[in-house]
Amino acid sequence: MFDTVTSDAFQQLRQRAAEVSRYGAAAGLLGWDQETYMPPKGQAARTRQLSALAELIHRLSTGPEVGEWLTQAEADMEAQGWDPDSDAARFLKVARRDYDRATRVPTEWVVEFSRLTSEAKMHWQQARAQKDFRLFAPYLRRIVEMRRQYAEFFAPYDHIYDPLLDGFEPGMKTATVQALFAGLRREQVALLHAILERPQVDDAFLYRPFPVARQKTFVREVLEHMGFDFQRGRLDESAHPFTTGFSVDDVRLTTRYKETDFFGQAFYSSLHEMGHGLYGQGVDPRYEETPLAGGASLGVHESQSRLWENLVGRSRSYLQWLLPRLRDAFPGVLDDVDLDAFYRGVNKVQPSLIRTEADEVTYNLHIMLRMDLEIALLEGRVDVDDLPEVWNRRMEEDLGVRPKDDAEGVLQDIHWAMGALGYFPTYALGNVMSAQIWQALRRDIPDVEAQMQAGRFADLLAWLREHIHRYGRKFEPLEVLQKATGQELQSQPYLDYLRSKYGEIYGL
Amino acid sequence: MFDTVTSDAFQQLRQRAAEVSRYGAAAGLLGWDQETYMPPKGQAARTRQLSALAELIHRLSTGPEVGEWLTQAEADMEAQGWDPDSDAARFLKVARRDYDRATRVPTEWVVEFSRLTSEAKMHWQQARAQKDFRLFAPYLRRIVEMRRQYAEFFAPYDHIYDPLLDGFEPGMKTATVQALFAGLRREQVALLHAILERPQVDDAFLYRPFPVARQKTFVREVLEHMGFDFQRGRLDESAHPFTTGFSVDDVRLTTRYKETDFFGQAFYSSLHEMGHGLYGQGVDPRYEETPLAGGASLGVHESQSRLWENLVGRSRSYLQWLLPRLRDAFPGVLDDVDLDAFYRGVNKVQPSLIRTEADEVTYNLHIMLRMDLEIALLEGRVDVDDLPEVWNRRMEEDLGVRPKDDAEGVLQDIHWAMGALGYFPTYALGNVMSAQIWQALRRDIPDVEAQMQAGRFADLLAWLREHIHRYGRKFEPLEVLQKATGQELQSQPYLDYLRSKYGEIYGL
């Protein structure tokens, strides 16, 4: 489609974007391999390799020639009167945004930050293994400093957190998120307290032994059945589940297996990553190696992963399809568990220490804690050395549980070691969006529950492809949401969903 | 060690070499992944990614600035009187050689060849699966044409094959190889004929079922015991076993498993690749990311793989250690096989169709066939379309066997699809060198046989590290051989080894 654009400058931009995308894929593979197959001692060389590619990519993305091509292509667009919603016009808009952001940041900063976070990840791993935050603290301190510098590259800003957030969620403002979160927090805490006063759910059967070899086969079959294309993707193992991709035809998920925690580890994390992966596999292939490839934002990405994990995967209809299949694959293990008990079990609400294992009612509270601490660190209101204590206190206040060590507290997530301050809020935004999207999808596919009961996911996936996936980065996150749902971002659908679902489960 | 070199130009070269090495590692990983884990439909994007890196690397290696740095650094060396055998002087020598070779080849040629061979590999795979050479022929024709062009970049030459051979085996001449091979061929054919007149060996027990899961554990344990460092390496699966590396601390082997051919597939190919891998792990770590990293040549590399596979792995002493371990790992499977029968079985001589499965007596004959055909193709004496028939006729003449289809004939190797004309002779050179090296090693470690019987490989590996591995590319292949053995390249030790070993086995 871009071949016919009669602008030399545009074609130059396109060629550069393709080149950058190819090096980006190489960097992506180096990163994937580092988490999946790389031998332990390969780390030092890998760090250098990743830095070299980060530098190259930043240099090619920010050269003055790119700025000239952009200006010229924008003039060509103006002169030729391109439709502002055409792919070519949106290509230019996204490329302009990427360029303006990237040129604010000096290459030296990018290289140093790449080196720092690569080391920080190693030290975070050691600190976590030894449950000792102090081993990681100097690296986090340096990361916070560098992230402050980073924010200054974008001065003036309304809030120091804005430039960071904007890197993950284009166009989103800290004030908007804070307002949204304040309402969510009030309502979710109230719901949690109401739930905790009711008789609690028994989910002990979820922790029965499920042989790992069979877990692997089962998960793969479920994902394939639900629409993940293994001809264009993979599922591997890593310490922390993630999704990455090197083209629309090569999208990779990871998960982890534990015999006595099949659902908490492999099953639901695989559904979650599959949600990301289906998005990755669903982008218009004509956007390959252009600025329009990829997802609209982390929030929109998370809306997809959470939708498949929770709105689908923890729904009664889905479980009605799943349970007999589980019984077949793991003979005898769940014979005494009926659908109602199973549904209640996988939806058990329980304040807990680990974000990735949190239920839907408490999950966002973990996110808000992280966002508040990130802002406090950036603003200098909390010192890195005090972080474990501040974390633990807030956990007690919000959730009534207190980590017994740093590994199950402040060291549990890799994000800060990756330097990804500003990332966490996108998880909660994704939750909120997922309910809005689900509401719209149910309007268009009234019998979606019946389809899920029958194990039919094709219409559901096709709807998401049509309304979200195929657009890639063409539209900004809130535009995508508007187009798919007809609504602004709002928390009501998510709160309604929580209240209705958990009200029924807990008899509120 | 290179930090102290007081030449700005040298330091510039060093920095560029590091950069190129890092991109090379990324390209290497893309290649490794393509053969091990990449989902099938990821191929098209992968081809573009590999081409982009090939172009980048070629451009950075051949820029005029590199030529200027080289000239200036050579002047600095001259003025400062560096020891010509110092690491810095050898760094310059190798860098000069690489630069002079690379600058002969236009970047456009490199990019086109990368694209061609990436496609050719796909079509070779299809052709092989369908046992139909015609599907691959157009690509091979184009590869031969491009390799002819390539040779012309190095004109004048003594032989059109010289520039190709020199790319894999620095300094080696076609005439030298042809003279060496003529002698080998005469002697190996005579030995083969003598063997075929004797009672034949029974090796049927090798094809008994060995459960694949246990094969995997066993191979890994053996490799680890023999000295391969899994903290700095991996063993994966691929259709065709190979070894690659992205640093001295990240060296990767692949193998393949077949329940009813444990020794022909997984076991001996793993020992072979381990030989390459030990070389890769043994290079002086101070050479990392310099032109001195890597192996001296493919021939020297092959001397290491063949040494571990054959001189060690198929020796009676080694098998005396191995057999009880096999019996433990695969209870009952080899109970009726004694050491003598086992030794004779794994050394059975039998003219066969597939090079990688050929015994030591016939192996080089497969190589000579390929080298002769490559030269005939380049010289235009054989047309690509006639290749299957020419191949089959020669197989009948040399080995008395005739492929029943192209898959077990002309399509069996991936090398031509990779564009690697000039590569095959290095396998036979490696065989020849392996026997010379073994002779020298036995002089220095007189009880090496007893050590192997006891499962002790540390002295053996230390000797190879000391005399070969650590030097990386510092010395040219024949220099390495001279330093390690005190000899020129010669076929006598290999022929002596064959005659003595097989004379004993077959009672000649």
Side-chain angles (χ1 to χ4, degrees), chain A residues 86-379:
Chain A
S86 66
D87 288 315
R90 289 296 186 144
F91 175 121
L92 266 192
K93 191 175 172 187
V94 174
R96 163 61 72 188
R97 180 191 139 83
D98 288 349
Y99 178 76
D100 286 349
R101 276 193 68 87
T103 47
R104 297 253 189 166
V105 185
T107 299
E108 302 73 50
W109 188 95
V110 171
V111 174
E112 194 186 333
F113 197 63
S114 163
R115 202 170 295 137
L116 171 62
T117 54
S118 186
E119 274 180 49
K121 273 188 280 183
M122 250 187 311
H123 289 275
W124 166 76
Q125 266 161 2
Q126 287 164 11
R128 192 159 172 267
Q130 297 181 42
K131 306 178 184 196
D132 187 354
F133 177 72
R134 286 169 305 177
L135 301 175
F136 175 55
Y139 298 91
L140 182 55
R141 182 178 301 282
R142 184 84 191 103
I143 283 170
V144 172
E145 275 163 22
M146 285 198 74
R147 275 303 188 189
R148 258 191 225 123
Q149 283 173 11
Y150 179 88
E152 292 317 317
F153 299 142
F154 295 86
Y157 42 70
D158 296 337
H159 192 292
I160 191 173
Y161 200 63
D162 278 351
L164 280 66
L165 182 60
D166 189 73
F168 301 108
E169 201 63 26
M172 188 61 67
K173 291 290 186 181
T174 307
T176 310
V177 177
Q178 285 177 324
L180 189 85
F181 280 11
L184 274 178
R185 183 179 162 106
R186 197 170 47 241
E187 299 292 329
Q188 291 195 228
V189 167
L191 178 59
L192 176 61
H193 288 160
I195 286 171
L196 292 178
E197 284 170 15
R198 300 291 307 160
Q200 294 305 295
V201 159
D202 174 23
D203 68 346
F205 58 86
L206 295 176
Y207 303 94
R208 293 173 182 169
F210 290 77
V212 166
R214 252 177 289 162
Q215 286 188 32
K216 291 185 184 178
T217 317
F218 187 77
V219 165
R220 196 189 148 100
E221 283 170 4
V222 167
L223 265 50
E224 193 151 27
H225 180 88
M226 292 175 77
F228 186 75
D229 183 353
F230 280 94
Q231 294 287 303
R232 303 195 289 131
R234 296 187 49 84
L235 173 64
D236 294 277
E237 287 177 65
S238 67
H240 306 277
F242 67 95
T243 298
T244 185
F246 319 123
S247 90
V248 73
D249 290 324
D250 190 349
V251 175
R252 304 194 183 185
L253 325 176
T254 71
T255 188
R256 55 188 170 196
Y257 300 92
K258 187 178 167 191
E259 188 175 72
T260 56
D261 190 13
F262 177 32
F263 298 96
Q265 304 293 327
F267 189 77
Y268 280 108
S269 85
S270 296
L271 284 196
H272 180 100
E273 300 307 331
M274 180 194 74
H276 288 301
L278 290 172
Y279 194 177
Q281 290 186 335
V283 175
D284 190 330
R286 294 173 304 178
Y287 294 169
E288 275 281 84
E289 300 186 345
T290 77
L292 302 186
S297 71
L298 290 187
V300 178
H301 241 298
E302 197 69 10
S303 78
Q304 299 306 293
S305 55
R306 299 293 280 179
L307 186 146
W308 288 96
E309 176 190 1
N310 292 327
L311 286 291
V312 173
R314 286 189 163 91
S315 72
R316 192 187 292 269
S317 303
Y318 177 79
L319 297 172
Q320 191 170 338
W321 169 76
L322 186 74
L323 185 56
R325 265 140 208 93
L326 278 168
R327 290 215 180 94
D328 283 353
F330 302 92
V333 183
L334 295 172
D335 283 0
D336 57 337
V337 180
D338 67 12
L339 176 62
D340 192 59
F342 192 63
Y343 172 63
R344 292 161 58 85
V346 301
N347 286 294
K348 178 176 181 164
V349 175
Q350 183 166 40
S352 64
L353 296 165
I354 306 296
R355 173 185 62 85
T356 56
E357 297 167 13
D359 57 79
E360 292 181 280
V361 174
T362 57
Y363 187 93
N364 286 348
L365 303 176
H366 290 264
I367 297 306
M368 295 169 199
L369 173 157
R370 285 157 177 75
M371 179 177 171
D372 292 346
L373 292 188
E374 288 180 354
I375 292 175
L377 284 168
L378 287 165
E379 292 181 342

Side-chain angles (χ1 to χ4, degrees), chain A residues 479-491:
Chain A
E479 281 185 289
V480 173
L481 193 69
Q482 180 73 46
K483 290 177 73 78
T485 70
Q487 294 175 336
E488 304 286 307
L489 178 69
Q490 52 195 275
S491 54

Side-chain angles (χ1 to χ4, degrees), chain A residues 22-23 25 29-30 33 37-42 45-46 48-49 52 56 231 233-234 246-247 249-250 252 289, chain B residues 22-23 25 32-33 37-42 45-46 48-49 52 56 231 233-234 246-247 249-250 252 289:
Chain A
R22 289 162 195 170
Y23 301 140
L29 184 68
L30 287 166
D33 180 74
Y37 295 110
M38 189 187 76
K41 292 192 176 162
R46 182 56 48 89
R48 295 192 299 267
Q49 294 151 7
L56 174 71
Q231 294 287 303
R234 296 187 49 84
F246 319 123
S247 90
D249 290 324
D250 190 349
R252 304 194 183 185
E289 300 186 345
Chain B
R22 289 161 195 171
Y23 300 140
W32 172 83
D33 180 75
Y37 294 109
M38 188 186 76
K41 291 192 177 160
R46 182 56 48 89
R48 295 192 298 267
Q49 293 151 7
L56 173 71
Q231 294 288 303
R234 294 188 49 84
F246 319 123
S247 89
D249 291 324
D250 191 349
R252 304 194 183 185
E289 301 186 343

